[in-house]
Amino acid sequence: MSLFAELGMRYLIIQAPMAGVQGSELALAVTRAGGLGSLPAAMLTPAELRGELGRLAQSGLGPFNINFFCHRQREPDPVALARWQQRLAPYYAEFGLEPSAVTTAPSRAPFNEVHAAMVAEFRPAVVSFHFGLPAPELLVQVKAAGAKVFASATTVAEAVWLAHHGADAIIAQGLEAGGHRGHFLSDDLALQQSTLTLLAQILAVTDLPVIAAGGIVDGKGIANALAMGASAVQMGTAFLCCHEATTSALHRAAIHSPEGQQTALTNLFSGRPARGIVNRLMRDLGPLSDLAPHFPYASGALAPLRAAAEKAGDSGFSPLWAGQNVSGCRDLPASELIACWVKEAGLG
């Protein structure tokens, strides 16, 4: 029996975890429709995570994937933060903000003992990781809870590393994918490849199930990836405009605008490269800048600026995460969208 049949999925479609634009409602809708719904946990407080996991558990549905970041948390660099705040000062003045509005608290927490304890309590079918894998002792706890471990690879070297360090399936994250790059062995973006190229190369070096992620937005894309040997596909951008997503009206408008066709990798919003729709901040500073403090501290000074701009109907300082192909974004319930893909891909 394949891993995905063992999980009880009707369709080989995984909803990508997308922090900031979804909660448990989207995960529930996708699992109910026969795919694997995912919950992003990195930006949730322990209390918020417990509430979301409780809603998933109370639904009586399954399976679900709970996603965590596992970066190594560094202390903030005061010099870098001050330089960043100075660069943003003209924008603060434009929106009438005080410099004291800045926060230095990290916006994303790496997987830790509190998270491991919740995994043991709620026992999700899948736990996935971005930026490598957590410490071995934490990974042991995840596996002891019965979860299958998925992890993102952006290069063949990362896939080999994950296979040797306990992953049960590898997510081949191509360069087309929206949101944060999952790279962890090297920061060199020149090493990153397109989804289908990366998929083929990872399949050649591992017997583990490989999940194709990046640029897949419809049934044809699903069929192509599966025909190449992917065990499943992971789709995020195509869910952004679903009824169950919490994507803001400004974000949805950007996706449907001509600007939605232009995305770039940027480190401005978090300090780490992630793909989003090009907006004012990215145009003014350049999408990749040495001015941005290291991950995840860049967002602290941007948070009040983003809030003020959005209140004025301006998404120029918001992280508009999206993949290179937004053509599959449709204003439909997730179940209807999945039904369309299943028909197009001939999976029914």
Side-chain angles (χ1 to χ4, degrees):
M1 178 183 292
S2 73
L3 170 60
F4 298 97
E6 182 182 338
L7 290 173
M9 295 167 58
R10 291 204 305 276
Y11 307 120
L12 300 172
I13 299 170
I14 301 168
Q15 166 246 315
M18 299 179 291
V21 294
Q22 67 145 127
S24 55
E25 186 178 0
L26 180 59
L28 284 164
V30 172
T31 288
R32 189 177 289 114
L36 176 64
S38 302
L39 176 73
M43 293 179 67
L44 301 178
T45 66
E48 290 169 339
L49 178 57
R50 176 170 291 280
E52 290 285 61
L53 290 173
R55 280 185 276 278
L56 295 180
Q58 290 165 13
S59 72
L61 296 172
F64 295 107
N65 163 39
I66 313 302
N67 176 258
F68 297 92
F69 286 178
C70 51
H71 56 286
R72 304 296 181 257
Q73 191 85 316
R74 298 160 59 187
E75 291 299 315
D77 179 348
V79 174
L81 291 176
R83 186 171 61 242
W84 184 229
Q85 291 167 25
Q86 183 179 13
R87 181 60 186 85
L88 297 178
Y91 301 126
Y92 268 61
E94 179 182 337
F95 287 92
L97 296 171
E98 295 295 328
S100 58
V102 171
T103 175
T104 57
S107 58
R108 296 163 177 85
F111 189 73
N112 55 44
E113 288 284 357
V114 173
H115 296 139
M118 286 201 214
V119 168
E121 179 181 352
F122 288 95
R123 302 180 70 84
V126 176
V127 173
S128 65
F129 294 103
H130 220 45
F131 313 137
L133 292 170
E137 60 272 18
L138 292 175
L139 191 62
V140 167
Q141 293 181 52
V142 171
K143 293 208 166 198
K148 297 298 183 183
V149 173
F150 294 2
S152 300
T154 64
T155 64
V156 174
E158 288 177 349
V160 171
W161 189 95
L162 292 171
H164 289 164
H165 287 81
D168 295 304
I170 295 168
I171 302 165
Q173 188 195 34
L175 195 56
E176 303 96 322
H180 281 91
R181 305 300 303 150
H183 63 256
F184 60 94
L185 290 184
S186 172
D187 293 333
D188 185 359
L189 294 176
L191 298 175
Q192 316 262 305
Q193 299 172 308
S194 66
T195 300
L196 296 185
T197 299
L198 181 64
L199 171 65
Q201 293 188 359
I202 292 178
L203 285 169
V205 298
T206 183
D207 292 328
L208 290 179
V210 182
I211 300 155
I216 302 170
V217 299
D218 55 24
K220 182 179 179 181
I222 294 170
N224 287 343
L226 296 179
M228 283 190 62
S231 293
V233 298
Q234 180 169 282
M235 304 168 71
T237 298
F239 283 107
L240 282 173
C241 293
C242 282
H243 294 181
E244 298 87 352
T246 60
T247 312
S248 70
L250 287 173
H251 196 163
R252 291 172 190 256
I255 289 169
H256 291 311
S257 73
E259 287 73 26
Q261 304 296 324
Q262 185 183 5
T263 66
L265 293 178
T266 180
N267 65 341
L268 298 177
F269 297 101
S270 72
R272 193 177 176 112
R275 184 174 295 284
I277 296 170
V278 175
N279 59 5
R280 179 183 174 186
L281 187 68
M282 294 163 71
R283 286 191 295 269
D284 285 359
L285 305 188
L288 295 170
S289 173
D290 291 337
L291 286 171
H294 61 248
F295 183 84
Y297 297 102
S299 59
L302 277 173
L305 181 57
R306 171 187 176 180
E310 288 182 350
K311 187 175 180 180
D314 182 354
S315 62
F317 301 91
S318 305
L320 305 172
W321 302 141
Q324 286 183 338
N325 187 351
V326 298
S327 66
C329 296
R330 300 166 66 183
D331 299 308
L332 292 173
S335 60
E336 291 186 23
L337 201 54
I338 290 173
C340 290
W341 298 337
V342 167
K343 184 177 180 179
E344 291 168 357
L347 299 179

